[in-house]
Amino acid sequence: MHRILIRYGYVPFMLLGVNGAAIALAASGASKLWLAGLLPAAIGCSFAAERALPYEAEWNSPAGDGARDVAHAGVNELLLLVSVGIIPLLAATVTVADLWPRSWPFALQVLAAILIADLGITLTHYASHRIGVLWRFHAVHHSIKRFYGFNGLMKHPLHQTLEMSAGVAPLILIGLPVDVASALAVTVAVQLLLQHSNADYRIGALKYVLALNEGHRFHHLKWAGIGDVNFGLFTLTWDHLLGTFSYDPTRRFTSDQLGMAAKPDYPTAYLAQLAEPFRASGACHIEPSSPEPTAQQRTATSSILGVQKARP
């Protein structure tokens, strides 16, 4: 029974329950400490679901990456919280026009913020697979060899800052309220946990709309072109429009298919990963020719716009 509850109830619990709690707290003007307290609760739920109903049991066991992933998560969550804290200052200095729909129900304001941020973050993510200097920093995220909740927070802090700036800047320019920003920060963290989750959950036809783990695993396939798909953070709307949506219900993922084919020896230690984009070895190179493992991958590659990527 608990497996059925997790398979079909875990995503609604996180999206509606945890995010709903964040929206309710922010709307009530509660202390930001209460909102911050939702993050460890969400992380705990993520780990519990992954252990109770894993997609791949092996991915629940650290492979020399546990401490590193905690460091990435801690730094990037702190950056997320700090960004919320400085929004009043930014709003006071860079707001172009106070066009924010404050008369809307608070939940609709948060939803609007999510959809606007999703566009900026998705386009930055898309560009990071095509522009060499951006890929240097984004490559940290693609060095993973197991797919689980903390992967969403495993990013170079400069790239994390760039993505979030692209998502939030348009909102600040039109007068984003800090309470909406606080709720948005929680929804971003929850989404990253769900998107990279090792829990074997199901969302039915929504997998073609919401950017969750069934679709995002394809993004982490290690071959250039083939893995340059499903860029969305919250939704797959922009992937459908860009022609970068990919899904095959028959595929089964393993650690051998994750990472970067051209850089199998990418640094694994936290400080080394922070330094790698600034080293000569962090540059992008064209991936050497190699046979593609399956016909499905050949089909996926040919269907993607702009197969020649900056990504190695």
Side-chain angles (χ1 to χ4, degrees):
M1 179 60 71
H2 78 278
R3 293 171 65 87
I4 294 175
L5 287 173
I6 294 171
R7 177 160 284 143
Y8 299 103
Y10 173 55
V11 172
F13 170 76
M14 294 287 275
L15 291 183
L16 301 178
V18 177
N19 286 346
I23 291 170
L25 287 169
S28 69
S31 167
K32 300 300 183 291
L33 293 177
W34 285 104
L35 283 167
L38 286 175
L39 297 179
I43 291 169
C45 289
S46 173
F47 275 86
E50 289 174 334
R51 277 150 183 75
L53 187 67
Y55 174 86
E56 177 60 65
E58 177 187 356
W59 291 347
N60 284 337
S61 301
D65 54 6
R68 178 204 68 196
D69 290 357
V70 169
H72 275 296
V75 169
N76 288 323
E77 283 292 359
L78 180 61
L79 285 174
L80 198 60
L81 295 174
V82 168
S83 68
V84 172
I86 65 174
I87 280 178
L89 175 62
L90 293 175
T93 56
V94 303
T95 295
V96 173
D98 191 0
L99 302 175
W100 191 258
R102 299 173 191 273
S103 62
W104 291 9
F106 190 81
L108 284 183
Q109 293 185 48
V110 175
L111 179 60
I114 286 172
L115 295 177
I116 294 171
D118 189 47
L119 172 59
I121 292 170
T122 299
L123 293 180
T124 303
H125 192 181
Y126 178 86
S128 297
H129 282 242
R130 286 156 175 76
I131 300 173
V133 67
L134 296 182
W135 173 256
R136 279 177 170 262
F137 294 92
H138 186 51
V140 170
H141 182 65
H142 281 272
S143 66
I144 64 169
K145 297 299 293 182
R146 62 188 182 111
F147 193 91
Y148 77 117
F150 258 16
N151 291 154
L153 298 168
M154 185 186 156
K155 299 181 179 183
H156 196 286
L158 291 181
H159 195 269
Q160 160 89 352
T161 300
L162 176 65
E163 277 193 335
M164 290 307 301
S165 297
V168 176
L171 296 168
I172 294 176
L173 291 175
I174 59 173
L176 175 70
V178 68
D179 288 338
V180 176
S182 299
L184 176 63
V186 174
T187 65
V188 168
V190 168
Q191 187 68 18
L192 290 171
L193 289 169
L194 286 173
Q195 189 176 63
H196 296 81
S197 177
N198 185 33
D200 193 20
Y201 59 69
R202 299 286 188 276
I203 56 172
L206 286 175
K207 62 178 168 282
Y208 298 103
V209 179
L210 301 180
L212 295 174
N213 68 358
E214 287 185 80
H216 198 67
R217 292 187 188 110
F218 290 86
H219 182 73
H220 282 273
L221 287 168
K222 66 182 181 182
W223 299 280
I226 296 167
D228 295 333
V229 298
N230 301 350
F231 293 99
L233 174 60
F234 286 101
T235 78
L236 295 167
T237 302
W238 304 108
D239 286 291
H240 287 292
L241 294 174
L242 291 168
T244 56
F245 174 76
S246 179
Y247 183 73
D248 175 10
T250 66
R251 171 173 285 282
R252 178 76 189 178
F253 294 83
T254 66
S255 291
D256 290 339
Q257 299 171 337
L258 305 180
M260 293 177 284
K263 291 193 174 184
D265 299 320
Y266 196 86
T268 57
Y270 179 70
L271 293 179
Q273 289 190 338
L274 296 191
E276 183 65 11
F278 301 99
R279 295 172 174 158
S281 57
C284 301
H285 302 288
I286 297 176
E287 183 176 345
S289 299
S290 60
E292 294 167 356
T294 68
Q296 181 274 334
Q297 290 171 351
R298 289 193 293 273
T299 301
T301 302
S302 64
S303 68
I304 298 170
L305 297 178
V307 172
Q308 298 299 322
K309 313 296 185 193
R311 182 182 175 188

